[in-house]
Amino acid sequence: MNESYSSNYHSLALLPAVEKYQRRQLLKVFWLIAIGLLIFELQAETDSILSKLAAIIITVAALWPSYLWCSGRAFGMPLFPLFALTYTWTHGLPLVANHPLVITYSPESHLFAGITTAGFLIIGTSFWLKSVKSPPPLPKHYRALNGKKGNLFFLLIMALAVLFNLSKNGGWLLLDGGIFAVIRGTVLGLTVLASFVLTYQLGNRTLPNNQSRLYMILLIAYMVTDAVGLLVVGAASTFMVSTSAFIIGRKKVPIVAILIVTICLSVLHQGKDEMRHKYWFKDEPTLVQPWQYADWYNEWIAYSLEKMRAKDDVYKSSDSEEKSSFIERSSVIQMLLLTQKKSPEPIPYLYGESYAVIPQLLIPRFLNANKIRSHEGTYILSIHYGLQKREDTLGTTIGWGLLAESYANFGLLGSAGLGAILGNFYGRVTRWSMNAPILSAQSLFSVLLLAFSFQTEFSAGVYVSALFQSGMVLAGIVVVLMQNQKIPKFPAYHS
């Protein structure tokens, strides 16, 4: 057994006592976040006690898996805890943040939605916990990348991802739309793996110094070149995945890095609408070459600062744009409120119609030229509830989320069933990857699943098809680049 392979074992392979001790170092941060969220909800501007109660119920249920993981009561990668955590800002906080759509529903509707969401999370947590209470026995071998070669491979992926962004922004790629979509999906999937693996090793100090410096340059370059397209969500998602990896590897929260990136993304968020109005709606697409990036960002930041200075006057104007906060942008509980108000009367449940398209989405487009769009399930939901007509879906997609979709199909039974399915799925994948080296097939699949935990607006069809495509990319890596490697009798434990 070579030394580089042993050094790449998960910290999740630690002895239970050591692992629990390290996890508990995160409990202080957990309690600060939990108390902060509860205070915010209790002191929110809304006068409705029921709305506050609903938000608190959701927040407690969403934080429970994270508490179990931080306290050492659950092992493995925190896949389900991170997934559950997203429900604080997508379902809990909007109930007390005067979201323009949420406040149109009664406090009683808020409470019903809160209980539904909390029930879904509690059921999911119960199923997840059954699989992660203790580590499984070590198998005889894993299929994994060689440590040194694996690091070089993922550094190369990051470099290629930056080159892809440069080519996309500059119009260097002359490809068919279908081929471009395949390449883009492959690059995104590989970038998720690369950013997690390298940041994890950066966190647990197993990445050599020269590779650490190169990786940080490539990570920043990727986020900068990706955001040039005026979609900051890609850079934000990459940062969230990387931050999760660092926390898992180091057992510490990189507060300074989080603050810096959050401020930068928040500033860019302010001016992106003006940039989009200026450059998106043209007969010819706007191309940005690498030497134009400085001017591009200077103009973007100028719009942002101008909007921030005029913020009070803009909001007071009767014909101004609606305030667009992070909570408003990320919220999807309004979709659950909509389905609970209108179904089963006057609009009947879909009884699985939005799920029925999933098998078609798994067929590659080169095998089916008339393949339906990946968001077809989402469009079915929007059309069924009168939010869009079929022609409207060609230009706009409304985010629904998995929970609202489950209720739209089968009501409370659907929500409970979704909790059981996701809790069991996340739990089994987590257990499968326990004790595995970070460069093993099991761990890399868990990384993909962790990245999908942050995709809060996905319907089931988008979730399954995107995960399937990324899984196929990983399968190619497993077959072509990985080798069967035996597990050492005494794995190298590290803090």
Side-chain angles (χ1 to χ4, degrees), residues 158 191-192 195-196 199 215-216 219-220 222-223 226 232-247 253-265 450 454:
M158 292 299 299
T191 304
V192 166
S195 59
F196 184 95
T199 310
Y215 168 61
M216 291 306 299
L219 179 62
I220 294 172
Y222 176 80
M223 293 175 63
D226 188 67
V232 294
V233 64
S237 298
T238 301
F239 180 71
M240 291 175 73
V241 169
S242 301
T243 302
S244 301
F246 187 89
I247 293 173
V253 179
I255 297 176
V256 175
I258 291 175
L259 288 175
I260 292 174
V261 175
T262 300
I263 291 172
C264 291
L265 293 178
L450 182 144
F454 298 115

Side-chain angles (χ1 to χ4, degrees), residues 101-107 109-110 334 337-339 341:
L101 295 179
V102 173
I103 60 176
T104 62
Y105 296 90
S106 67
S109 296
H110 291 177
Q334 66 270 17
L337 289 164
L338 172 68
T339 59
K341 181 179 181 179

Side-chain angles (χ1 to χ4, degrees), residues 35 55 99 151 173 183 188 193 206 264 275 311 325 481 491 493:
I35 293 172
H99 187 287
N151 290 344
L173 295 175
I183 294 176
L188 289 175
L193 294 177
T206 58
C264 291
M275 290 289 287
K311 191 174 182 180
S325 67
L481 299 176
Y493 298 108

Side-chain angles (χ1 to χ4, degrees), residues 35 40 123 157 168 218 238 243 264 282 290 325 342 373 375 430 443 461:
I35 293 172
F40 174 83
I123 291 172
I157 291 299
K168 178 184 63 175
L218 290 173
T238 301
T243 302
C264 291
K282 288 185 172 183
S325 67
K342 294 192 174 182
R373 291 175 290 173
H375 285 276
T430 301
S443 293

Side-chain angles (χ1 to χ4, degrees), residues 169-187:
N169 297 333
W172 306 345
L173 295 175
L174 300 177
L175 299 173
D176 175 78
I179 297 176
F180 178 81
V182 171
I183 294 176
R184 181 179 59 186
T186 301
V187 170

